Amino acid sequence: MGGVSVEGPKGGRRTLDSEINLIPMIDLFICCISFLLITAVWSHMSRINANAQVPSPPRPDQEPEKVEPEKMLTVEMKQDDKFVLIWKSGATVHNTSEVKKQPVEVGEGSDKQVRYPDLAKKIQEEWTTYGSHKNDNDPKQDQAIISVDNRAPFSDLIAVIDAIYQPKRTYKGADWTSFNVTFSAR
Amino acid sequence: MSAKPHRHFEHEMIKQPGRRLMHHVPLKFVQKRVQGGGGKGVNASLNLTSFIDFLIVVVVFLLMSFSASGEVPLDKNTKLPSAENTVDMVDAPMVAITGTQILVDGTNAGSTRAIEEAGRLMKIDELHNVLKNKRELWKQLNPGKQFPGVVVLQVDKRVPALVVKSVFQTAAFAGYPNVSFMCGQIPKTDKGPPGGAHH
């Protein structure tokens, strides 16, 4: 039991000792713990986005607008030893650079994951130089297209998407990814 | 006036103690108990403060790690990749690729064998139909609302990119252009400068 000793008045003869019954509180705590343990989720999953960039169907009542082709980053992962980064708008190539494929393994055993920190660093630098949508009020994102070898495992693909999402910008004050990722159809 | 005779009560209240049997036996434990000089009392009280502190810590920890979104069903044979730059899960149709099977919310929606044999990107008709039906159902249940077009792919990390691209493309054709890949979370390391160099 929890006891509370309260000093009586100065001239009084005895102190006022009152005891709070703590048993209901302990019962409540145990009920809370049981409920939270039963409903607990121990494996937290997340997701990584990609967008197919499907154009909306043309409206017959409107003349289609002529849109200037935007600068896009193509990340080619078709060679075993390197990534090729190409900035182009339409058929015009603005810049081409290469990054040596240096996978860094994270985790142990069957949970081993591959990451490409060098690629992420290079993409960050490239976006700083060639990226078109950096303004805080700009709702658009730069487009990244992944051109991947058909035999590449999905884990490699995710590692490259993760590297593309490394550069961050802000949109209306909130953190946002600089790129929107899609896949090359070939 | 004659003097009153001294009244003699038959049962006197106080009288001098007489002889007592076994008075030489000391009975020390009785003396101690009577005088208040004995050992510990029988009633012991437990201090509950540390127990309550422990309960509070456990409750706070469990509340902090509580997730209202619930657990995402995951096949035990599927090994998901992990990534650093991820976002929270959303409530959307789940397309799982386990081995050669394609499942949409647990129901069979095709096989990957044909794609692997063909060796080229192709549309999976069964998956396309299932997703299209799901989209129609959503539109009927939510009239007037804009369809989000989000689908979550639960893909084993060993699955080849050709299969992933085929499923991705099929989902886009079925009206789900926003494709998310389910993955684990790697703790974030160093971040690049937010917002880049120019603003």
Side-chain angles (χ1 to χ4, degrees):
Chain A
M1 294 304 155
V4 178
S5 179
V6 183
E7 290 281 327
K10 276 201 168 175
R13 282 184 296 185
R14 57 178 181 170
T15 56
L16 303 171
D17 287 334
S18 60
E19 284 202 340
I20 300 167
N21 188 5
L22 293 177
I23 303 297
M25 190 175 86
I26 293 169
D27 287 351
L28 174 73
F29 276 136
I30 288 171
C31 284
C32 282
I33 289 170
S34 307
F35 169 76
L36 291 168
L37 275 176
I38 290 165
T39 59
V41 178
W42 300 112
S43 60
H44 285 279
M45 285 295 154
S46 14
R47 67 192 171 102
I48 200 157
N49 270 326
N51 197 307
Q53 293 291 301
V54 179
S56 56
R59 292 178 61 175
D61 55 323
Q62 281 184 355
E63 190 74 21
E65 284 178 35
K66 197 172 181 185
V67 183
E68 282 294 309
E70 278 201 355
K71 249 189 281 179
M72 290 182 187
L73 171 69
T74 305
V75 180
E76 276 192 8
M77 47 184 294
K78 292 196 168 179
Q79 294 172 51
D80 291 337
D81 59 336
K82 64 182 176 187
F83 296 106
V84 182
L85 308 180
I86 306 161
W87 281 94
K88 56 182 176 184
S89 46
T92 315
V93 175
H94 297 279
N95 184 55
T96 305
S97 57
E98 290 177 358
V99 183
K100 207 175 166 192
K101 206 171 189 175
Q102 285 176 319
V104 174
E105 288 184 341
V106 182
E108 286 180 357
S110 60
D111 287 336
K112 211 174 260 183
Q113 306 291 337
V114 178
R115 300 200 64 239
Y116 295 108
D118 291 348
L119 177 66
K121 201 175 160 193
K122 184 70 181 171
I123 290 172
Q124 171 78 57
E125 287 169 14
E126 294 265 315
W127 179 74
T128 308
T129 315
Y130 299 102
S132 313
H133 305 284
K134 296 173 185 170
N135 201 302
D136 186 61
N137 296 320
D138 192 347
K140 279 190 169 181
Q141 287 164 296
D142 284 293
Q143 188 66 44
I145 301 166
I146 299 176
S147 179
V148 58
D149 182 67
N150 286 340
R151 293 160 300 162
F154 178 60
S155 54
D156 262 17
L157 201 59
I158 283 292
V160 170
I161 297 174
D162 200 21
I164 294 171
Y165 280 136
Q166 190 75 25
K168 294 280 192 295
R169 53 167 279 208
T170 55
Y171 174 57
K172 291 183 177 172
D175 273 356
W176 218 29
T177 53
S178 306
F179 284 101
N180 187 25
V181 172
T182 193
F183 294 101
S184 156
R186 279 170 287 171
Chain B
M1 227 169 122
S2 62
K4 260 189 174 176
H6 179 70
R7 276 186 79 180
H8 180 78
F9 293 102
E10 220 171 279
H11 305 288
E12 280 185 38
M13 303 290 274
I14 301 167
K15 63 180 180 182
Q16 198 176 0
R19 291 175 67 81
R20 186 159 51 88
L21 279 176
M22 307 289 284
H23 75 280
H24 59 279
V25 179
L27 289 175
K28 292 272 184 199
F29 67 98
V30 177
Q31 283 177 18
K32 275 183 182 173
R33 186 59 53 86
V34 170
Q35 289 160 6
K40 279 183 182 175
V42 186
N43 295 326
S45 65
L46 280 171
N47 188 6
L48 292 177
T49 313
S50 51
F51 179 55
I52 292 167
D53 288 351
F54 166 73
L55 290 179
I56 290 171
V57 169
V58 173
V59 168
V60 168
F61 166 74
L62 289 170
L63 278 174
M64 297 272 281
S65 60
F66 184 75
S67 164
S69 58
E71 198 155 11
V72 181
L74 182 65
D75 188 87
K76 62 177 177 182
N77 297 320
T78 306
K79 285 195 165 48
L80 294 177
S82 298
E84 208 176 280
N85 302 292
T86 56
V87 286
D88 288 338
M89 282 296 288
V90 284
D91 188 23
M94 184 83 67
V95 178
I97 304 172
T98 52
T100 57
Q101 267 193 327
I102 299 171
L103 308 168
V104 178
D105 290 336
T107 53
N108 196 8
S111 164
T112 62
R113 201 162 284 162
I115 307 163
E116 285 172 29
E117 281 169 7
R120 63 182 172 79
L121 215 62
M122 58 190 284
K123 197 177 104 179
I124 308 155
D125 292 328
E126 217 173 333
L127 174 67
H128 181 263
N129 294 338
V130 172
L131 286 178
K132 209 173 168 187
N133 290 341
K134 276 199 174 283
R135 191 183 65 165
E136 294 305 321
L137 184 69
W138 192 94
K139 281 185 174 173
Q140 282 174 15
L141 292 172
N142 303 279
K145 282 189 184 173
Q146 201 189 354
F147 182 62
V150 181
V151 68
V152 179
L153 299 192
Q154 203 182 82
V155 188
D156 189 284
K157 61 183 179 185
R158 293 158 294 186
V159 169
L162 176 66
V163 175
V164 180
K165 283 199 289 182
S166 295
V167 172
F168 183 85
Q169 205 176 51
T170 307
F173 283 143
Y176 291 85
N178 297 314
V179 181
S180 291
F181 298 106
M182 194 167 147
C183 50
Q185 173 82 53
I186 298 177
K188 281 191 169 58
T189 50
D190 60 322
K191 281 171 121 184
H198 315 282
H199 264 286

